[in-house]
């Protein structure tokens, strides 16, 4: 009988500890982790300065005129486009080749014609990190991008008392997180200089906030509802 009572008490305690609807740091950490690990930060694919005839918007490769521009402001603009693309070449995500293309016609281009260009295309490493589909996480759109790392919550530091709002029970949560499984290219100085947000995101532990919502299955990140 003593053993049976002990088992019943232990089961009750375990059930209480694992209640997914309880407002607790562990439940909130789980809810936030479930969402943010699917939404890693990304670098937007830089634009080129010219497109090939019949090339679709945001299609690869990206092209930049190979010739030095005659006017200083035009050359500054060309270099601004080249710098982040060359940084991605240094990271091993893109390769750069010289070629010629038939220039597409547009508002500022009337005749098209062949143009010498630097063509930037994906390497195998780049293809592994590249995304060009719609971002279902809500953190981005259709723009092609290179994503990196896996966000992981380190600690829920505090949360508000759950309260009803617009027919839902919510809590505002403050937490810290870091990026795990960072690929080696994120540590390249040239890439971090070209994309300052990369250096910030990979610097270590960061502070963040999120709202969590109580559902019939327990707590969920607000963006997962």
């Amino acid at each position: 009988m003593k053993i049976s009572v002990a088992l019943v008490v232990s089961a009750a305690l375990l059930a209480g500890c694992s209640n997914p609807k309880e407002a607790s740091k562990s439940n909130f950490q789980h809810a936030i982790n479930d969402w943010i690990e699917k939404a890693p930060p990304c670098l937007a694919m830089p634009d080129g300065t010219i497109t090939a005839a019949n090339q679709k918007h945001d299609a690869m490769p990206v092209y930049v005129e190979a010739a030095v521009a005659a006017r200083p402001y035009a050359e500054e603009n060309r270099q601004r486009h080249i710098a982040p693309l060359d940084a991605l070449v240094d990271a091993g995500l893109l390769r750069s080749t010289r070629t010629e293309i038939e220039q597409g016609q547009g508002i500022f281009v009337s005749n098209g014609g062949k143009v010498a260009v630097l063509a930037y295309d994906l390497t195998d490493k780049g293809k592994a990190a590249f995304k060009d589909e719609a971002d279902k996480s809500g953190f981005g759109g259709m723009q092609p991008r290179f994503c990196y790392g896996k966000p992981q919550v380190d600690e829920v530091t505090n949360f508000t008392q759950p309260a009803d709002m617009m027919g839902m029970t919510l809590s505002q949560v403050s937490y810290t997180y870091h990026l795990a499984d960072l690929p080696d290219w994120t540590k390249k100085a040239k890439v971090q200089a070209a994309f300052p947000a990369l250096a910030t995101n990979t610097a270590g532990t960061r502070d963040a906030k999120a709202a969590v919502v109580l559902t019939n299955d327990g707590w969920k990140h607000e963006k997962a509802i």
Side-chain angles (χ1 to χ4, degrees):
M1 179 62 70
K2 290 182 179 179
I3 295 176
S4 298
V5 171
L7 287 174
V8 170
V9 172
S10 297
L13 289 173
L14 286 173
C17 291
S18 61
N19 180 5
K21 296 185 178 182
E22 181 184 358
S24 67
K25 288 185 175 182
S26 61
N27 281 340
F28 292 162
Q29 179 169 339
H30 179 75
I32 295 170
N33 255 336
D34 272 355
W35 175 254
I36 66 171
E37 69 180 8
K38 301 170 187 173
C42 305
L43 305 180
M45 180 68 199
D47 293 326
T49 60
I50 188 172
T51 55
N54 301 318
Q55 183 178 14
K56 293 182 179 180
H57 177 66
D58 286 338
M60 299 295 292
V62 170
Y63 300 111
V64 178
E65 291 98 331
V68 175
R71 297 180 179 179
Y73 73 85
E75 178 58 18
E76 288 176 8
N77 180 64
R78 192 180 78 95
Q79 291 297 332
R80 276 197 298 270
H81 283 81
I82 287 176
L85 289 166
D86 278 353
L88 294 175
V89 171
D90 185 66
L93 302 178
L94 297 178
R95 66 171 62 89
S96 174
T97 56
R98 286 177 174 268
T99 187
E100 286 189 342
I101 60 169
E102 286 285 345
Q103 186 175 9
Q105 295 186 7
I107 297 175
F108 301 107
V109 181
S110 57
N111 297 321
K114 281 191 176 293
V115 181
V117 296
L118 299 172
Y120 293 88
D121 209 352
L122 297 169
T123 62
D124 289 340
K125 182 191 289 189
K127 290 175 183 177
F130 190 69
K131 291 186 179 181
D132 61 357
E133 76 281 5
D135 188 346
K136 297 177 182 178
S137 71
F139 284 94
M142 288 291 290
Q143 186 174 10
R145 57 209 182 277
F146 295 99
C147 299
Y148 55 94
K150 182 179 180 180
Q152 290 187 347
V153 176
D154 293 314
E155 180 187 11
V156 170
T157 53
N158 62 73
F159 60 87
T160 62
Q161 186 69 24
D164 291 335
M165 183 179 296
M166 296 182 291
M168 298 183 292
T169 301
L170 292 85
S171 177
Q172 297 291 333
V173 183
S174 297
Y175 65 96
T176 59
Y177 75 98
H178 72 283
L179 292 177
D181 303 329
L182 285 169
D184 58 354
W185 60 263
T186 61
K187 302 175 179 66
K188 294 273 188 178
K190 192 171 181 179
V191 184
Q192 291 193 358
F195 300 90
L198 173 63
T200 302
N201 288 336
T202 59
T205 300
R206 305 196 67 197
D207 295 324
K209 294 179 182 293
V212 292
V213 180
L214 183 60
T215 72
N216 61 314
D217 292 326
W219 292 93
K220 303 286 185 183
H221 192 289
E222 61 177 336
K223 294 184 182 295
I225 302 302

